[in-house]
Amino acid sequence: EPEVTQTPSHQVTQMGQEVILRCVPISNHLYFYWYRQILGQKVEFLVSFYNNEISEKSEIFDDQFSVERPDGSNFTLKIRSTKLEDSAMYFCASSKSKDYGYTFGSGTRLTVV
Amino acid sequence: AQSVSQHNHHVILSEAASLELGCNYSYGGTVNLFWYVQYPGQHLQLLLKYFSGDPLVKGIKDFEAEFIKSKFSFNLRKPSVQWSDTAEYFCAVTLHNTDKLIFGTGTRLQVFP
């Protein structure tokens, strides 16, 4: 069964550093998403991406965050200057269409120290 | 603001017991409804979804859920749980014309043999 692949599985970074979280969506999917889950809290929507542009973003997704699909396969989330409160599990997801339902990746645990 | 409530935070059952996990949402318009499961150390997996039609939805592993529009509910059920059902269960909705998933806080299910 096709999978969404995320790397790394765990990243530790110092406050103020830039991090890039990587995702390889399922190859024939067209919609891409990032979600995050702070420990003990809900899974929260960050951003959706379609046709090489952001289609929707949440209040969390401020100027410190950006997404990119640099080639035909990768989908990245960049946090420019990490804060302690960015520590969370970040999930990438992809979908064939809006009504199809997502496939999630296994997540990247980001720890900011 | 739209929200999803899962009132059972932690459920403990013995094998063969029946399961019902509650999910309520607050939104007056058309919704799509989902249940996701996250087994320990794994990614979010889709259990079942409701978009339209028969409000009783069958999913994988003998799970089912019933959409009751008048109660804004989408409770998850399984007649007989197994030890392997130990996991975290998330209810989620998307609102009409969006594909942003709004998650509940999750219910941790522990099944003892």
Side-chain angles (χ1 to χ4, degrees), chain B:
Chain B
Q2 296 83 20
S3 65
V4 176
S5 300
Q6 292 181 246
H7 303 295
N8 316 104
H9 298 295
H10 191 187
V11 173
I12 301 172
L13 294 172
S14 299
E15 274 194 319
S18 64
L19 170 73
E20 180 159 3
L21 301 182
C23 172
N24 289 88
Y25 64 92
S26 62
Y27 179 66
T30 303
V31 295
N32 297 325
L33 297 146
F34 305 82
W35 274 97
Y36 283 87
V37 61
Q38 189 174 28
Y39 298 104
Q42 295 190 29
H43 60 280
L44 289 159
Q45 298 175 41
L46 183 66
L47 266 181
L48 47 79
K49 60 187 178 184
Y50 172 81
F51 287 159
S52 63
D54 188 345
L56 185 60
V57 180
K58 304 282 188 187
I60 60 171
K61 303 183 181 183
D62 291 330
F63 283 94
E64 65 177 33
E66 186 175 11
F67 172 47
I68 303 178
K69 192 173 180 181
S70 60
K71 294 185 178 179
F72 299 90
S73 70
F74 190 57
N75 292 356
L76 181 71
R77 300 194 292 249
K78 184 169 182 175
S80 176
V81 295
Q82 300 172 314
W83 175 79
S84 58
D85 293 324
T86 294
E88 185 117 20
Y89 292 80
F90 294 92
C91 181
V93 305
T94 58
L95 310 180
H96 183 58
N97 280 338
T98 83
D99 53 353
K100 176 178 80 173
L101 275 168
I102 301 169
F103 281 88
T105 49
T107 296
R108 185 172 167 224
L109 172 66
Q110 277 184 290
V111 180
F112 288 97

Side-chain angles (χ1 to χ4, degrees), chain A residues 84-102:
Chain A
L84 293 175
E85 53 265 37
D86 293 327
S87 295
M89 187 74 115
Y90 288 81
F91 294 103
C92 174
S94 69
S95 179
K96 273 188 194 177
S97 69
K98 282 189 173 186
D99 291 340
Y100 190 74
Y102 296 14

